[in-house]
Amino acid sequence: MRNIDLTPLYRSFIGFDHLASMIDNASRNEKQSTYPPYNIELLAEDKYRITMAVAGFAKHEVSIEVVENTLQVTGTKPGKDDERKFLHKGISERSFERKFQLGDHVKVLAADMENGLLHVDLERVVPEAKKPRKIEIGSQLLENN
């Protein structure tokens, strides 16, 4: 990916530094390992599910943490087992760390692990103050009388 010069954005727009840092983080996250594979699914208008293939990991070896707007999923495998000898090793079972940048007001609802798949359910919950509201024409005039 090409480097993007965000200097004009900083010079021209006030208060958009958050957007610029998100773009910068996204370009850095592109350098992440592709392991483990994952899907991001839209379940409903404001509901999402991240499904990660974590074959070989037990529940106690996977941790999920949200710090500010970043979801971090980490899998930690104990030391190598020297007694096992593989003729072919196609299941990686290596430790991993995967980060997802969450949008504003996106909350993690639940996580579950079944059949080697980790499911993380998310929902965007927009506060009432941020939701669009209809203003009736003449409503201010009626309140003053």
Side-chain angles (χ1 to χ4, degrees):
M1 180 179 178
R2 289 185 245 162
N3 290 334
I4 301 171
D5 182 17
L6 301 174
T7 307
L9 183 67
Y10 287 120
R11 284 193 310 246
S12 304
F13 295 96
I14 307 300
F16 283 87
D17 51 327
H18 176 68
L19 175 63
S21 62
M22 282 177 50
I23 293 170
D24 190 41
N25 285 339
S27 67
R28 266 192 247 126
N29 285 345
E30 202 170 274
K31 297 171 187 140
Q32 282 192 83
S33 164
T34 58
Y35 177 78
Y38 65 93
N39 294 334
I40 300 176
E41 185 179 359
L42 179 63
L43 300 176
E45 186 176 338
D46 289 325
K47 293 188 185 252
Y48 309 90
R49 174 176 283 166
I50 298 171
T51 301
M52 298 179 72
V54 290
F57 282 86
K59 288 181 182 179
H60 69 275
E61 296 172 326
V62 177
S63 70
I64 302 169
E65 186 176 331
V66 177
V67 179
E68 293 182 14
N69 282 5
T70 303
L71 170 67
Q72 180 175 326
V73 181
T74 307
T76 308
K77 281 306 241 178
K80 303 228 181 217
D81 186 4
D82 292 331
E83 295 177 17
R84 297 169 71 188
K85 297 191 188 230
F86 294 96
L87 297 178
H88 171 75
K89 189 167 188 331
I91 301 173
S92 179
E93 294 184 345
R94 67 178 186 244
S95 296
F96 67 88
E97 177 181 282
R98 166 74 60 190
K99 293 182 181 180
F100 299 92
Q101 194 68 33
L102 302 178
D104 292 337
H105 313 297
V106 173
K107 307 291 180 213
V108 176
L109 298 178
D112 192 25
M113 195 144 109
E114 181 181 11
N115 299 327
L117 296 175
L118 173 67
H119 302 285
V120 181
D121 292 328
L122 306 114
E123 181 176 23
R124 183 174 43 170
V125 182
V126 180
E128 285 297 321
K130 300 273 183 179
K131 288 183 180 176
R133 59 188 178 105
K134 186 170 176 104
I135 307 297
E136 294 294 328
I137 298 173
S139 60
Q140 182 68 30
L141 187 61
L142 292 175
E143 291 175 11
N144 289 336
N145 289 336

